[in-house]
Amino acid sequence: VDVAHLYDCTSFTFLHNPEEARLCERGDAARLVAEPGSLAADGLRPANTNGGDLAGGYSHGFRHLLEAARQVSGRAHNQVAKAETALVMGAQIGPTSGAILRRREIA
């Protein structure tokens, strides 16, 4: 996964989801988030490169799908270099959803 877009309706949700998606070890999400630049487009684990719901307004996760599509098509404002695979993950409580988007070259 080159970039992740994780459901972030609350700060806790965003801290929990990297662990659930195995983007870091259990118990390491707070350290990952606290590390300056680690989640930026050019960071160790690019995540919510558009700011997510906490920065852009609550959209029930639809903004995450849009940003993931922009990332894998190379059209994102905060583009992750060579992003070919994006993970989109919904809330981890109750029925939820997720998706993996991949870049596909069309001949």
Side-chain angles (χ1 to χ4, degrees):
V1 171
D2 300 312
V3 59
H5 297 281
L6 309 174
Y7 190 67
D8 62 340
C9 61
T10 66
S11 298
F12 171 77
T13 306
F14 188 79
L15 284 171
H16 186 71
N17 276 339
E19 294 177 4
E20 289 298 307
R22 306 301 190 261
L23 298 176
C24 66
E25 297 294 324
R26 294 253 183 229
D28 281 347
R31 182 188 52 75
L32 176 68
V33 171
E35 183 70 31
S38 66
L39 303 176
D42 60 352
L44 176 66
R45 291 285 185 202
N48 291 16
T49 53
N50 63 344
D53 285 341
L54 289 174
Y58 189 60
S59 67
H60 299 281
F62 291 106
R63 188 176 289 113
H64 297 303
L65 285 168
L66 176 60
E67 179 67 7
R70 287 178 175 158
Q71 284 289 342
V72 297
S73 65
R75 299 179 295 128
H77 178 72
N78 294 319
Q79 184 65 48
V80 172
K82 300 178 184 175
E84 294 187 13
T85 306
L87 168 69
V88 180
M89 188 171 153
Q92 69 281 2
I93 300 170
T96 188
S97 62
I100 295 177
L101 284 69
R102 285 186 3 185
R103 177 179 300 198
R104 179 175 169 219
E105 300 299 327
I106 299 175

